[in-house]
Amino acid sequence: GAAFLKVGVGARSVGMGSAVTTNGGDVEQMFWNPAGIAMKDQKIQAAFSYNNWLAGIKQNVGSVSYNWEGIGTIGAGVILFGVSDIPATRDPFNDPTTSTTYDYMDMAAQISFARYVTDRLSLGVTGKYIREKIDDLTATAVAFDVGSLYDIGVWGWKVGARLSNIGSDIKYYDFSSPIPITFSMGTSITPLSTESQKGRVAVDVVKQQDYLAYFNVGMEYSVEDMLALRAGYKLNYSDIEDPGRTNRNSIQTSIEGWSVGGGVHTTWSDYDVRIDYAFTDMKILKDVHRFSIRLGWK
């Protein structure tokens, strides 16, 4: 149920192979590790992300956060995921519906809160309402995420953890399916850090309720805090084969391959703008392109 929650949000995050548990100061972290939305040097952030997913499905994501001095950072976001005008094959004798098409649309609306409990440790929580709609049939669920992020203070070394999608099942008629509970731990370091260049490496270990544990590995290289290049891969996820528990042959469980991306970043006065792009190799299916824009105000 609600499998759309597994699809990565944000071009920067996906460009790094989704190794983003330790990303901080970013409003789109509410869709990953909510502790990462906590801000120190900005007052407001807003972001929009577009994903041209598989089979004509589109993912549109909007989010906004506000740094409430002395309280913490609060945020709100929404994910829309679906496709319209699917040709319908209906039984004209048993189905009174006359429409020749139908829509499929998933939605998650959420509110997040995070704050620094010390100068180096931030904690966060997200509550979300999930809805799936196929034609005239709707199913809903509620869930929450929790996360933490700690800056060790050496080489930009950070560690973090998150537990996502703890909640009720999605139920159609009398059949219930659990939503994709996900646990992730991650670490990242910045071994290259000068006035003009930064190089960051991140690794996450991820365990989803219905999948084997795998590793997200990503890197980000930036010049003058203006131009960034990114790459990432999911180990034990792409090309893995499920050996099965019977005499059947093993089967491939994922077709997602490597990701690459880049972005531009500029600031002037009290304003901050970042535009990012990511490409994901999907092998036998159509490759995936993501675009994101984030605005910030001090």
Side-chain angles (χ1 to χ4, degrees), residues 186-198:
T187 186
S188 64
I189 61 171
T190 308
L192 173 63
S193 182
T194 67
E195 291 185 1
S196 60
Q197 301 179 74
K198 285 189 177 181

Side-chain angles (χ1 to χ4, degrees), residues 19-263:
V20 294
T21 299
T22 55
N23 282 3
D26 190 338
V27 61
E28 289 191 314
Q29 276 296 96
M30 71 171 64
F31 305 108
W32 299 90
N33 180 358
I37 73 169
M39 294 187 289
K40 287 184 176 180
D41 57 354
Q42 290 186 341
K43 196 74 172 178
I44 300 174
Q45 281 189 2
F48 174 77
S49 178
Y50 170 79
N51 174 10
N52 186 18
W53 192 237
L54 306 173
I57 297 174
K58 311 298 182 185
Q59 180 197 56
N60 292 284
V61 183
S63 54
V64 62
S65 63
Y66 175 76
N67 187 11
W68 192 349
E69 186 176 356
I71 303 296
T73 302
I74 57 174
V78 62
I79 302 174
L80 298 176
F81 186 89
V83 61
S84 300
D85 299 325
I86 305 171
T89 301
R90 307 181 189 274
D91 184 342
F93 298 102
N94 296 322
D95 192 338
T97 307
T98 58
S99 174
T100 58
T101 64
Y102 68 97
D103 299 336
Y104 151 64
M105 181 61 66
D106 290 341
M107 183 271 289
Q110 60 187 64
I111 297 176
S112 301
F113 174 78
R115 65 168 293 162
Y116 281 95
V117 295
T118 72
D119 288 342
R120 295 183 178 180
L121 174 65
S122 63
L123 302 176
V125 62
T126 291
K128 63 181 72 173
Y129 169 77
I130 303 162
R131 187 190 71 183
E132 290 191 318
K133 187 175 188 298
I134 303 175
D135 201 5
D136 60 349
L137 184 63
T138 300
T140 62
V142 292
F144 68 93
D145 310 340
V146 293
S148 62
L149 180 59
Y150 183 73
D151 185 348
I152 294 176
V154 179
W155 279 10
W157 187 9
K158 297 180 179 180
V159 294
R162 66 180 174 99
L163 183 59
S164 303
N165 304 321
I166 310 165
S168 58
D169 293 348
I170 289 283
K171 184 176 182 180
Y172 288 100
Y173 299 108
D174 293 328
F175 299 93
S176 297
S177 297
I179 60 178
I181 297 175
T182 302
F183 175 69
S184 171
M185 295 187 299
T187 186
S188 64
I189 61 171
T190 308
L192 173 63
S193 182
T194 67
E195 291 185 1
S196 60
Q197 301 179 74
K198 285 189 177 181
R200 181 168 172 262
V201 179
V203 179
D204 285 2
V205 58
V206 182
K207 179 63 177 75
Q208 293 179 338
Q209 183 179 16
D210 58 349
Y211 203 82
L212 303 172
Y214 57 91
F215 294 87
N216 297 342
V217 180
M219 60 79 61
E220 180 179 52
Y221 171 74
S222 61
V223 179
E224 300 290 350
D225 198 27
M226 295 177 59
L227 176 66
L229 299 175
R230 307 179 185 102
Y233 194 77
K234 297 181 178 180
L235 302 172
N236 203 37
Y237 183 79
S238 302
D239 290 327
I240 189 172
E241 292 189 345
D242 174 12
R245 296 175 177 82
T246 65
N247 292 328
R248 68 166 171 79
N249 293 329
S250 60
I251 58 173
Q252 185 170 327
T253 57
S254 173
I255 59 167
E256 182 175 338
W258 45 268
S259 297
V260 295

